[in-house]
Amino acid sequence: MAMDASEIERRIKAALPDAQIEIRDLAGDGDHYAATVISEAFRGKSRVQQHQLVYSALQGDMGGALHALALQTSVPE
């Protein structure tokens, strides 16, 4: 079963409450998404560490219910 965009956003918000999140369905299939996530929690962290925070928020569903997620992360300006 695919994961919908609102569930992805809900999980990221639960882990990063201050996050500004934009999610796009890349293929229209509910399996391939792109997400832009902006959070103060990313400050001072490497890009890999930022992505790990987002992936951990998805509770192990990457590669399962959520097939692909292209991430762009940054800190607020």
Side-chain angles (χ1 to χ4, degrees):
M1 175 176 275
M3 184 181 298
D4 67 16
S6 63
E7 178 65 11
I8 296 168
E9 184 170 353
R10 185 191 69 74
R11 290 186 186 190
I12 294 171
K13 273 287 199 188
L16 304 166
D18 74 316
Q20 300 170 41
I21 304 165
E22 178 190 337
I23 299 177
R24 297 167 309 284
D25 188 339
L26 297 176
D29 61 2
D31 267 346
H32 298 82
Y33 290 97
T36 301
V37 182
I38 301 169
S39 174
E40 189 60 40
F42 298 149
R43 192 169 302 279
K45 293 183 172 40
S46 71
R47 185 80 58 208
V48 169
Q49 290 169 322
Q50 293 173 18
H51 288 202
Q52 287 172 335
L53 283 173
V54 175
Y55 290 139
S56 69
L58 298 172
Q59 304 163 346
D61 280 325
M62 279 302 306
L66 180 57
H67 180 71
L69 180 66
L71 275 177
Q72 289 187 328
T73 56
S74 63
V75 298
E77 291 183 5

